[in-house]
Amino acid sequence: MTNIDTIKGIDIKTVISKETNLNFRKNTLEYCPFCQSGNHGKGSTSAFSVHPGKNIFHCFSCEKKGGVIEFVRQYKGLENGEAIKYLANNFGNIPAYVLEKKPKTDLEKKIFAINNNNKTKAEKYLNDRGINTNKLPANSFSYDRYTDAVVFIDDKRQLINKRFIAPEQGQPKAIFEKGSIIKNALYTRLYDDNKETVYIVEGVINSLSLTGYSSIAIFTSSNSADDVGIFAKFLQNKNVVLAFDNDEAGKKCSEYYQEFIINQINVKSLSVLLLPEHKDINDLLKEKKLSKFLKDTDNYEYIKADLLNIPLKKNDRSISEHFFIKYSCYYITEQRRGYQIEIDISDCIFEFLYRLTDNEGTRLIKIQQTQIKGENRIKLLELTSEQLKKDKFEVELSKHGFSFYGKKYHLDRIRTHLQHQEKTANAIQTFGHQLESNIFAFSNCIITEDNKVLYPNSLGMIEDKGTTYYLPTASLANQLKFAELKSFSYKEGNINFSDFAKLFVSAYPIGGSVGIQFYLLALFRDVVFSSLDFFPYLYLYGEAGGGKTSFVDLLLGLFGDASKGYGLKNISQAGLSRIAAQKRNTMTYYKEYSKEVPGYVEDYLKTGYDGQSRTISAKSVSKETISFNVESAGIIDSNFLPTNETAVFTRMVILDFEDTNFTEMQTKAYEDLKEQEKQGLAQITKEVLNHRAFFVDNFKDVYFSTLDYLKKRKQLKQKFTHERTIKHIALFLTPYFILSEKLKFPFNSESLEDTIIVHAEAQEEKLHAFKSTNIFWQGLETAKKEHKFVEFNGHNLSQAHYYKKMLTANTGEIYIKTKHLNYAISLYAKYCKSIGLDNKTIDSYTELKSKLLSKGYEPFQQPEDNSKKRKGCNIHLFGYSYKFLFSLEKNKEG
């Protein structure tokens, strides 16, 4: 029998070389065998590399990655089992890597020891160099008391860099600890992903000197990195500044990284900071000149310019016969008293960059103003056709410090001229899945139909297959807008679907598998809804401390969504309607559901299940309305069960989070998940989206065949009184049945089916318990214990309200005096209020009495002799009374 760990350990470089006949340069292949990256002429560098220590490959161009089995499977088009067999037959004689966990190295032991030293001397050393250690992130530096040195550790914990506080005469100022791996080592403690600009510096002291900025350090100018993936993680879609020392080594290093970055990483801009000769970043900081130096644009040499910052022509008289540009202003000529004079009509010039495909004729417009010192002030504005009318346009300009004071026809001529030069872009208005193009839009990038991640430029534009898409959330025109949507951001980490699902089910044994299935359904909600016309909510129930919030955070993290949810208690009807229309095929998190929520919330949840659009007034004084479609799946968090309405209850799939005792295994799995969440989880959504076409092709057939299978099971039909319940069971099983051949799940079909059915049974029990007739008997049981509802004992006839007669050990009859039934119902009303149900929820006297005495209510027993004067009453020694059967078995009424 083949040992799978042995197969996984077969040397991946050997396999790739033999299968492709391509050569490796260290760990980088000549070119990618899948996308041909690196095979495009002289100077083209492959994005395909291997990591020998982990025995994995990764192409940062086509995003193919995995171990030796994944390579053979994808390269030769084999199934997983066939790939394993092929490796065993053809490479079984190659010694396998030792993949077991290794003991700690000497370097790891030293790092552990150093990190436990007092840092006081290190802090003084850095403060003396002008670095405010109080503003540095935690663990930015350490101190080694044995060598009296400030210590810096790279982000992979494979390098120790020591800078001696008082170096001896003739000895080096800094060293790398023996065993350190300098190649591709980075110091990233001062990196800030929220900042648009990233400085690359030589040496950690320079990085620490850039507190308040975002930077990474390469430790030494001799570190000629070649791992594209390590740098792409920090530099992709950023404005990158090379800030190396202005000496021979620094210049040579700068030239290397210019070529390395410009040819292999998609950056917004790349520039070189022109430091004074023989000065570095820290020198300028100590001289208190750094801040001013960094702000002066003359100190930057652009290798690749940011599109927005390419200046317009300051002077151009050939534009039109009607106007021209002078000193970055618009001018016209007029005849006055026989003289032709030039008159300025603005203090700025415009460029119409793009016309957006939306309903408002929106334009993306670049405004430029040259100030007295000759500096260009450039602003990007997003204006609708209505805002381009002269009066409103002047207002919009003035908001940003610009002016246009020409006449209407002057503006019309300028606008007409500029509109002939503009390009067209498809505006992303609903994020997530795009119905026509099949791309998936985050706030900061898109995943294409070919499963590639593309990032926008500073204008917010992305090119894919000849089409330009506009991400308003990523545009400099909207820096102060879309705060909530910007949290819906793609952040790529390291974990795959299989490992995440395994940890998630380990952390949440009760609801983990349900949560995974709900995530998959949410990701393909449009497919589900177009086939079925319904989509249930996931309802998380339980007191604080049960893990509801962490459960939701991890599911939202799969979409890169860092939003904190929407409270239902005080939300407006308009706000509620907009929320689920903003994103398609994602999740929307609703909090604070309770009996106090406004009535329109209940209506919204019912219509949202059915996917109906919500129509609201556009303005309070206008009859104009706006319609919003529900596009995303809903997760609801509450400390209460949704008992306000049965119609709402049956539209939920309920998960119970009442247990606050967690096992050691659950805690460890949760901690591992949180660590992965910090790195990013959105790559899992990218992985699953790769199978969208397969899901689309199979969903309808698999769902209905699953539903037929469930309906034929008599036991299920007897268990579940609501047809929706069986539909929900079928729906939550369907993603597994479709994708189990594409994705690896931590459960099989039998265990998943058992889990889903058990959840459905628990929900049915809860629903059954909240029927008004059931609550009636629960209320009487409570009243009996409080001596408010008295049983007849043979002697207290005048005081008794009911008589009980046992027929078997578990069944019997209850007789309630006819004159006391209304009293019993009043006890029911008081009990309802005591358990938190209000008048909107409970039945009235008439409604409940009608239910209790109806022919359809099984426990109620009509008298055998219909000639009795009092219809529906029985006569015996207790007197006129209503007769009900009861059972002591679970879920039986009475």
Side-chain angles (χ1 to χ4, degrees):
M1 184 175 177
T2 303
N3 186 316
I4 190 65
D5 287 333
T6 302
I7 298 298
K8 287 181 178 178
I10 293 173
D11 181 49
I12 196 166
K13 287 178 71 172
T14 304
V15 173
I16 292 173
S17 295
K18 185 174 178 181
E19 290 297 321
T20 64
N21 291 319
L22 299 175
N23 298 314
F24 277 95
R25 182 177 174 271
K26 294 188 177 178
N27 295 321
T28 303
L29 198 60
E30 281 182 60
Y31 59 87
C32 176
F34 300 105
C35 70
Q36 310 302 304
S37 163
N39 190 26
H40 304 293
K42 188 176 179 181
S44 182
T45 306
S46 172
F48 186 101
S49 62
V50 299
H51 190 304
K54 296 181 180 178
N55 211 38
I56 59 174
F57 75 94
H58 190 181
C59 176
F60 290 93
S61 180
C62 64
E63 291 297 318
K64 291 265 194 295
K65 58 185 174 181
V68 66
I69 297 172
E70 285 78 10
F71 177 82
V72 171
R73 181 174 61 78
Q74 295 180 68
Y75 186 69
K76 301 189 74 67
L78 302 175
E79 295 295 329
N80 213 51
E82 294 172 333
I84 294 170
K85 187 175 180 181
Y86 180 88
L87 285 164
N89 292 337
N90 293 279
F91 298 92
N93 59 340
I94 297 176
Y97 272 70
V98 178
L99 298 175
E100 289 79 18
K101 188 175 181 180
K102 298 177 182 178
K104 282 190 175 181
T105 64
D106 290 340
L107 201 66
E108 290 171 329
K109 292 175 182 177
K110 287 178 182 177
I111 290 173
F112 178 80
I114 288 169
N115 283 340
N116 285 282
N117 289 336
N118 186 289
K119 296 181 181 180
T120 304
K121 288 192 74 174
E123 289 172 352
K124 183 179 185 309
Y125 174 83
L126 293 174
N127 287 329
D128 289 344
R129 297 191 67 96
I131 298 166
N132 187 343
T133 55
N134 292 326
K135 293 185 178 181
L136 294 177
N139 304 317
S140 300
F141 61 93
S142 299
Y143 175 69
D144 181 14
R145 58 193 177 91
Y146 293 106
T147 56
D148 192 25
V150 185
V151 178
F152 308 111
I153 299 164
D154 75 314
D155 61 350
K156 301 294 184 186
R157 299 174 68 82
Q158 296 177 334
L159 173 147
I160 297 176
N161 177 221
K162 290 184 178 180
R163 193 175 185 95
F164 299 112
I165 291 177
E168 295 181 14
Q169 189 72 26
Q171 296 299 312
K173 294 180 180 178
I175 63 166
F176 292 107
E177 189 71 27
K178 185 179 179 181
S180 293
I181 301 173
I182 300 174
K183 187 73 169 180
N184 294 315
L186 289 179
Y187 178 84
T188 62
R189 294 300 299 164
L190 273 292
Y191 175 78
D192 185 348
D193 192 45
N194 294 316
K195 297 189 182 297
E196 292 294 316
T197 300
V198 182
Y199 290 83
I200 305 180
V201 299
E202 170 194 345
V204 178
I205 293 293
N206 287 323
S207 183
L208 298 182
S209 301
L210 287 167
T211 305
Y213 297 86
S214 177
S215 66
I216 59 176
I218 60 169
F219 286 99
T220 170
S221 60
S222 61
N223 184 2
S224 299
D226 58 10
D227 192 327
V228 177
I230 290 175
F231 277 85
K233 180 178 179 181
F234 300 103
L235 307 184
Q236 193 153 251
N237 202 40
K238 299 287 187 182
N239 296 312
V240 179
V241 181
L242 302 177
F244 299 120
D245 299 357
N246 190 2
D247 54 23
E248 185 137 354
K251 290 174 182 176
K252 188 175 179 181
C253 182
S254 180
E255 289 172 2
Y256 174 82
Y257 279 100
Q258 286 175 43
E259 185 175 351
F260 175 74
I261 293 169
I262 209 77
N263 290 330
Q264 300 181 89
I265 303 174
N266 179 29
V267 296
K268 284 183 180 178
S269 70
L270 178 64
S271 61
V272 176
L273 184 65
L274 304 174
L275 288 163
E277 194 169 359
H278 303 302
K279 298 273 188 181
D280 63 14
I281 295 285
N282 185 246
D283 291 330
L284 294 177
L285 178 69
K286 288 188 291 184
E287 296 169 5
K288 298 184 179 179
K289 296 178 181 178
L290 181 60
S291 179
K292 184 178 179 181
F293 189 86
L294 295 177
K295 290 177 182 177
D296 190 343
T297 55
D298 289 340
N299 293 325
Y300 295 83
E301 178 187 346
Y302 279 89
I303 310 304
K304 176 184 176 182
D306 185 345
L307 290 175
L308 180 61
N309 291 321
I310 298 174
L312 303 173
K313 284 186 179 181
K314 294 182 181 180
N315 298 285
D316 191 346
R317 291 182 175 270
S318 62
I319 299 177
S320 166
E321 60 181 299
H322 303 294
F323 62 90
F324 61 94
I325 293 174
K326 182 180 177 180
Y327 309 132
S328 293
C329 301
Y330 286 115
Y331 276 74
I332 58 169
T333 57
E334 285 188 1
Q335 289 289 124
R336 292 187 183 178
R337 296 181 181 179
Y339 293 97
Q340 191 174 50
I341 63 171
E342 296 178 347
I343 303 171
D344 61 311
I345 57 173
S346 72
D347 66 355
C348 57
I349 53 178
F350 328 132
E351 182 180 7
F352 281 37
L353 300 171
Y354 286 92
R355 178 178 63 82
L356 307 180
T357 56
D358 59 13
N359 297 325
E360 299 182 281
T362 305
R363 257 86 181 179
L364 205 61
I365 303 172
K366 177 177 171 180
I367 316 289
Q368 177 179 308
Q369 183 183 75
T370 301
Q371 298 178 315
I372 296 173
K373 293 182 179 180
E375 297 174 358
N376 288 322
R377 191 168 78 86
I378 296 175
K379 185 72 179 178
L380 190 66
L381 300 182
E382 184 185 298
L383 301 176
T384 65
S385 57
E386 184 68 22
Q387 291 170 317
L388 286 172
K389 292 178 180 178
K390 185 176 180 297
D391 291 346
K392 294 182 179 179
F393 184 58
E394 288 176 357
V395 172
E396 292 299 325
L397 287 179
S398 67
K399 287 179 183 177
H400 302 281
F402 304 107
S403 298
F404 183 87
Y405 29 83
K407 297 184 182 300
K408 180 180 180 299
Y409 69 86
H410 294 144
L411 179 61
D412 289 343
R413 284 171 174 171
I414 294 171
R415 187 174 57 199
T416 301
H417 171 77
L418 295 176
Q419 286 176 356
H420 288 317
Q421 301 172 9
E422 67 189 4
K423 299 176 183 177
T424 302
N426 292 342
I428 302 294
Q429 295 174 286
T430 300
F431 287 77
H433 179 70
Q434 307 301 300
L435 296 173
E436 294 183 4
S437 61
N438 269 339
I439 68 172
F440 196 92
F442 291 87
S443 66
N444 63 333
C445 69
I446 65 170
I447 297 176
T448 69
E449 190 174 17
D450 300 329
N451 210 237
K452 293 181 180 178
V453 177
L454 297 180
Y455 288 88
N457 59 29
S458 58
L459 303 179
M461 300 298 169
I462 304 174
E463 300 282 341
D464 181 41
K465 295 180 180 178
T467 301
T468 303
Y469 298 96
Y470 175 61
L471 273 180
T473 46
S475 174
L476 289 176
N478 297 308
Q479 287 178 294
L480 302 178
K481 298 179 183 178
F482 305 115
E484 289 180 357
L485 281 171
K486 283 179 180 177
S487 69
F488 182 63
S489 175
Y490 183 84
K491 186 178 179 182
E492 183 165 320
N494 304 311
I495 193 170
N496 60 20
F497 173 85
S498 172
D499 293 338
F500 175 86
K502 186 176 181 180
L503 285 172
F504 196 69
V505 172
S506 296
Y508 304 96
I510 296 175
S513 52
V514 176
I516 291 294
Q517 298 304 100
F518 185 76
Y519 156 67
L520 295 172
L521 290 168
L523 192 54
F524 303 118
R525 184 188 179 279
D526 64 314
V527 184
V528 174
F529 193 79
S530 65
S531 302
L532 308 182
D533 291 330
F534 74 85
F535 197 97
Y537 295 90
L538 190 63
Y539 193 97
L540 313 183
Y541 160 68
E543 295 292 336
K548 300 193 303 293
T549 302
S550 59
F551 183 90
V552 175
D553 285 346
L554 289 167
L555 287 181
L556 292 177
L558 294 167
F559 296 98
D561 195 340
S563 63
K564 299 300 180 184
Y566 304 92
L568 292 174
K569 199 168 182 179
N570 299 309
I571 195 168
S572 69
Q573 188 170 2
L576 185 64
S577 298
R578 286 189 179 92
I579 286 168
Q582 291 178 323
K583 295 174 288 186
R584 182 181 296 113
N585 289 7
T586 67
M587 296 181 192
T588 303
Y589 176 32
Y590 304 97
K591 302 185 297 184
E592 300 170 2
Y593 178 87
S594 69
K595 62 180 181 295
E596 286 87 14
V597 298
Y600 56 75
V601 170
E602 303 284 7
D603 294 339
Y604 173 83
L605 295 177
K606 286 186 284 188
T607 57
Y609 176 91
D610 303 319
Q612 296 176 21
S613 62
R614 299 285 297 167
T615 302
I616 62 169
S617 297
K619 297 177 182 177
S620 58
V621 295
S622 170
K623 293 182 179 180
E624 184 184 352
T625 59
I626 305 174
S627 291
F628 296 93
N629 290 322
V630 176
E631 302 283 5
S632 59
I635 301 183
I636 301 172
D637 171 351
S638 178
N639 297 336
F640 308 94
L641 281 168
T643 57
N644 291 11
E645 286 195 47
T646 301
V648 172
F649 194 106
T650 58
R651 285 168 165 81
M652 311 289 180
V653 171
I654 296 177
L655 290 182
D656 192 329
F657 283 83
E658 292 189 289
D659 188 0
T660 57
N661 297 314
F662 306 111
T663 66
E664 187 176 337
M665 183 188 76
Q666 284 177 266
T667 303
K668 177 65 169 61
Y670 171 69
E671 289 172 351
D672 289 347
L673 283 169
K674 295 303 287 185
E675 282 302 309
Q676 293 294 339
E677 185 187 23
K678 292 176 185 176
Q679 301 298 317
L681 299 175
Q683 75 283 350
I684 296 172
T685 288
K686 178 178 178 290
E687 179 187 351
V688 178
L689 282 173
N690 204 26
H691 307 297
R692 176 178 168 84
F694 187 75
F695 190 93
V696 172
D697 290 342
N698 290 278
F699 175 75
K700 205 165 186 177
D701 289 342
V702 174
Y703 169 78
F704 283 109
S705 64
T706 304
L707 185 62
D708 288 343
Y709 154 73
L710 294 172
K711 284 183 174 179
K712 289 175 182 176
R713 292 177 59 179
K714 290 183 179 178
Q715 287 182 327
L716 290 184
K717 290 185 74 174
Q718 293 171 351
K719 279 182 181 178
F720 302 119
T721 58
H722 287 271
E723 186 181 359
R724 278 189 186 138
T725 303
I726 294 181
K727 286 183 177 180
H728 291 172
I729 295 172
L731 181 60
F732 272 71
L733 290 173
T734 298
Y736 174 85
F737 290 148
I738 297 173
L739 295 172
S740 56
E741 62 180 272
K742 302 290 184 181
L743 301 170
K744 186 177 179 182
F745 290 83
F747 40 74
N748 57 31
S749 59
E750 290 80 10
S751 63
L752 177 64
E753 186 176 323
D754 288 344
T755 300
I756 300 295
I757 290 173
V758 166
H759 274 88
E761 286 178 326
Q763 182 165 341
E764 191 88 357
E765 287 177 14
K766 287 183 175 72
L767 178 61
H768 185 78
F770 281 98
K771 286 171 62 176
S772 57
T773 49
N774 253 7
I775 297 174
F776 170 76
W777 296 110
Q778 292 169 18
L780 292 190
E781 184 65 25
T782 300
K784 175 189 171 185
K785 292 175 182 176
E786 296 173 352
H787 308 294
K788 294 177 182 177
F789 198 65
V790 181
E791 182 180 354
F792 175 61
N793 60 16
H795 304 288
N796 60 342
L797 186 60
S798 61
Q799 292 85 24
H801 300 103
Y802 75 100
Y803 167 71
K804 182 171 71 175
K805 176 182 178 184
M806 298 300 297
L807 301 177
T808 68
N810 289 316
T811 62
E813 298 170 341
I814 285 181
Y815 297 84
I816 299 177
K817 279 187 177 181
T818 55
K819 65 179 180 179
H820 292 322
L821 184 60
N822 283 354
Y823 170 67
I825 293 175
S826 72
L827 293 174
Y828 150 82
K830 290 178 182 177
Y831 176 72
C832 285
K833 290 180 180 178
S834 72
I835 63 172
L837 301 179
D838 59 17
N839 291 330
K840 291 191 300 181
T841 306
I842 66 177
D843 283 343
S844 67
Y845 281 81
T846 305
E847 288 171 334
L848 183 56
K849 189 171 184 179
S850 176
K851 288 179 183 179
L852 290 169
L853 304 181
S854 70
K855 292 181 180 179
Y857 184 54
E858 290 184 18
F860 177 59
Q861 301 296 297
Q862 292 279 359
E864 295 177 7
D865 185 355
N866 290 326
S867 64
K868 300 298 179 186
K869 290 183 179 179
R870 297 194 182 185
K871 187 177 179 182
C873 297
N874 291 269
I875 301 176
H876 58 89
L877 62 93
F878 188 55
Y880 287 103
S881 59
Y882 296 112
K883 176 182 175 183
F884 300 89
L885 294 181
F886 71 88
S887 172
L888 300 181
E889 296 175 12
K890 193 175 183 181
N891 291 335
K892 297 294 184 182
E893 293 194 26

